[in-house]
Amino acid sequence: MGMVPGPLWKYPDVLARTGAFPRAHTTAAGRTAYSTSKLATIYLVHEYARRLPAGIDAVTYNPGFVPGTGLARNAGPLSRFAMRRVLPLMALTPFANSRGVAGRHLADVVLGATEAPTGSYVDRGSAARSSEESYDPQRERELWDAAERFTAAHTRSVPQSPCR
C-alpha cells in the first residue's frame, strides 16, 4: 500500500547500531528499519530451516496490514488519527485484515492447518513466495553468524547462575 518503504539491507554489524538508516530520527527511517527487520526475519527462518533437525519447523508469517495493533503509536498526530479512525475501516476490504482474522491465520499456521513446510513464508492464510531479495544464502549466513557473535558476547558478560 506504499506506507512502508522497501528494506535497505546492510551488513548485520551496521544494522545492529542506532542510526543505521539515513535521517535516523525520522518516520521514514523507522519504517525502513521496520521493513528491513522483516527481511532479516525471513533470512533467519531460511537459515533455521537448514540447521534445525527434521521435525522442527521454522516458518515466517505475514499477517498483512492489520489496523488497530498500535504500530503507529509513536507517529505524528495525523498518522495516529488515520490509524485510529480511518484505517480500521480498511479491515472491511481485501487490503487489510482484522486482528481476529490475522490471529486465526496465525493459529492455523501454528496448529498445522495451513500447509507450510519449514522455511516457508506464509502470507496471511497460505504459503507464498517472498520477495526475490529474501532468497540470499550469503546474507542468511552473515546474519546467523552475527547473531551468534552478538549473543555470545552478551552471554559472556552476564553472570550465569547455577541450575539445580
Side-chain angles (χ1 to χ4, degrees), residues 61-78:
Y61 169 68
N62 173 26
F65 177 61
V66 183
T69 61
L71 184 61
R73 65 188 162 277
N74 295 321
L78 184 59

Side-chain angles (χ1 to χ4, degrees), residues 3-44:
M3 294 171 47
V4 178
L8 180 60
W9 191 256
K10 298 178 181 188
Y11 193 71
D13 293 270
V14 174
L15 291 171
R17 293 190 171 92
T18 302
F21 301 100
R23 300 182 336 265
H25 293 89
T26 65
T27 300
R31 290 179 178 160
T32 301
Y34 175 82
S35 64
T36 304
S37 75
K38 301 302 140 194
L39 178 60
T41 299
I42 295 171
Y43 286 154
L44 285 175

Side-chain angles (χ1 to χ4, degrees), residues 58-110:
V59 177
T60 308
Y61 169 68
N62 173 26
F65 177 61
V66 183
T69 61
L71 184 61
R73 65 188 162 277
N74 295 321
L78 184 59
S79 292
R80 283 195 319 268
F81 174 81
M83 287 298 265
R84 262 190 253 125
R85 304 286 186 230
V86 178
L87 295 180
L89 298 174
M90 289 189 68
L92 304 173
T93 73
F95 300 108
N97 285 320
S98 70
R99 290 178 287 183
V101 168
R104 278 193 300 282
H105 287 313
L106 177 58
D108 287 345
V109 171
V110 171

